[in-house]
CSV table of all heavy atoms in Angstrom, one decimal:
chain,number,residue,atom,x,y,z
A,20,TRP,N,145.4,52.7,115.4
A,20,TRP,CA,146.0,51.4,115.0
A,20,TRP,C,145.0,50.2,115.1
A,20,TRP,O,145.0,49.3,114.3
A,20,TRP,CB,147.2,51.1,116.0
A,20,TRP,CG,148.5,51.6,115.4
A,20,TRP,CD1,149.2,52.7,115.8
A,20,TRP,CD2,149.4,51.1,114.4
A,20,TRP,NE1,150.3,52.9,115.1
A,20,TRP,CE2,150.4,51.9,114.1
A,20,TRP,CE3,149.1,49.9,113.4
A,20,TRP,CZ2,151.3,51.7,113.1
A,20,TRP,CZ3,150.1,49.7,112.5
A,20,TRP,CH2,151.2,50.5,112.4
A,21,TRP,N,144.3,50.3,116.2
A,21,TRP,CA,143.3,49.1,116.4
A,21,TRP,C,142.1,49.3,115.3
A,21,TRP,O,141.7,48.2,114.9
A,21,TRP,CB,142.5,49.4,117.8
A,21,TRP,CG,143.3,48.7,118.9
A,21,TRP,CD1,144.1,49.2,119.9
A,21,TRP,CD2,143.3,47.2,119.1
A,21,TRP,NE1,144.6,48.2,120.6
A,21,TRP,CE2,144.2,47.1,120.2
A,21,TRP,CE3,142.8,46.2,118.5
A,21,TRP,CZ2,144.5,45.8,120.8
A,21,TRP,CZ3,143.0,44.9,119.0
A,21,TRP,CH2,143.9,44.7,120.1
A,22,LEU,N,141.7,50.4,115.0
A,22,LEU,CA,140.8,50.6,113.9
A,22,LEU,C,141.2,50.1,112.6
A,22,LEU,O,140.6,49.4,111.9
A,22,LEU,CB,140.4,52.2,113.8
A,22,LEU,CG,139.4,52.5,112.7
A,22,LEU,CD1,138.0,52.0,112.9
A,22,LEU,CD2,139.3,54.0,112.4
A,23,PHE,N,142.5,50.5,112.2
A,23,PHE,CA,143.0,50.0,110.9
A,23,PHE,C,143.3,48.5,110.9
A,23,PHE,O,143.0,47.9,110.0
A,23,PHE,CB,144.3,50.7,110.6
A,23,PHE,CG,144.1,52.1,110.3
A,23,PHE,CD1,145.1,53.1,110.7
A,23,PHE,CD2,143.0,52.7,109.7
A,23,PHE,CE1,144.9,54.5,110.5
A,23,PHE,CE2,142.8,54.1,109.4
A,23,PHE,CZ,143.8,54.9,109.9
A,24,SER,N,143.6,48.0,112.1
A,24,SER,CA,143.8,46.5,112.2
A,24,SER,C,142.5,45.8,112.0
A,24,SER,O,142.4,44.7,111.3
A,24,SER,CB,144.4,46.1,113.6
A,24,SER,OG,145.7,46.7,113.7
A,25,VAL,N,141.4,46.3,112.6
A,25,VAL,CA,140.1,45.7,112.4
A,25,VAL,C,139.6,45.8,111.0
A,25,VAL,O,139.1,44.7,110.5
A,25,VAL,CB,139.1,46.3,113.4
A,25,VAL,CG1,137.6,46.0,113.1
A,25,VAL,CG2,139.3,46.0,114.9
A,26,VAL,N,139.8,46.9,110.3
A,26,VAL,CA,139.5,47.0,109.0
A,26,VAL,C,140.3,46.0,108.1
A,26,VAL,O,139.7,45.4,107.2
A,26,VAL,CB,139.6,48.5,108.5
A,26,VAL,CG1,139.5,48.6,107.0
A,26,VAL,CG2,138.8,49.4,109.1
A,27,LEU,N,141.6,45.8,108.4
A,27,LEU,CA,142.3,44.9,107.7
A,27,LEU,C,141.8,43.4,107.9
A,27,LEU,O,141.7,42.7,107.0
A,27,LEU,CB,143.9,45.0,108.0
A,27,LEU,CG,144.7,43.9,107.4
A,27,LEU,CD1,144.7,44.1,105.9
A,27,LEU,CD2,146.1,44.1,107.9
A,28,ALA,N,141.5,43.1,109.1
A,28,ALA,CA,141.0,41.9,109.5
A,28,ALA,C,139.6,41.6,108.7
A,28,ALA,O,139.3,40.5,108.3
A,28,ALA,CB,140.8,41.6,110.9
A,29,LEU,N,138.8,42.5,108.7
A,29,LEU,CA,137.5,42.5,108.0
A,29,LEU,C,137.7,42.2,106.5
A,29,LEU,O,136.9,41.4,105.9
A,29,LEU,CB,136.6,43.6,108.3
A,29,LEU,CG,136.0,43.9,109.8
A,29,LEU,CD1,135.3,45.1,109.9
A,29,LEU,CD2,135.2,42.6,110.0
A,30,THR,N,138.7,42.8,105.9
A,30,THR,CA,138.9,42.7,104.5
A,30,THR,C,139.3,41.3,104.2
A,30,THR,O,139.0,40.6,103.2
A,30,THR,CB,139.8,43.7,103.8
A,30,THR,OG1,141.0,43.7,104.6
A,30,THR,CG2,139.1,45.1,104.0
A,31,LEU,N,140.1,40.8,105.1
A,31,LEU,CA,140.7,39.4,105.0
A,31,LEU,C,139.6,38.4,105.1
A,31,LEU,O,139.5,37.3,104.3
A,31,LEU,CB,141.9,39.1,105.8
A,31,LEU,CG,143.1,39.8,105.5
A,31,LEU,CD1,144.2,39.5,106.5
A,31,LEU,CD2,143.6,39.3,104.1
Side-chain angles (χ1 to χ4, degrees):
W20 271 104
W21 274 104
L22 175 70
F23 294 142
S24 299
V25 166
V26 169
L27 176 62
L29 288 175
T30 57
L31 287 176

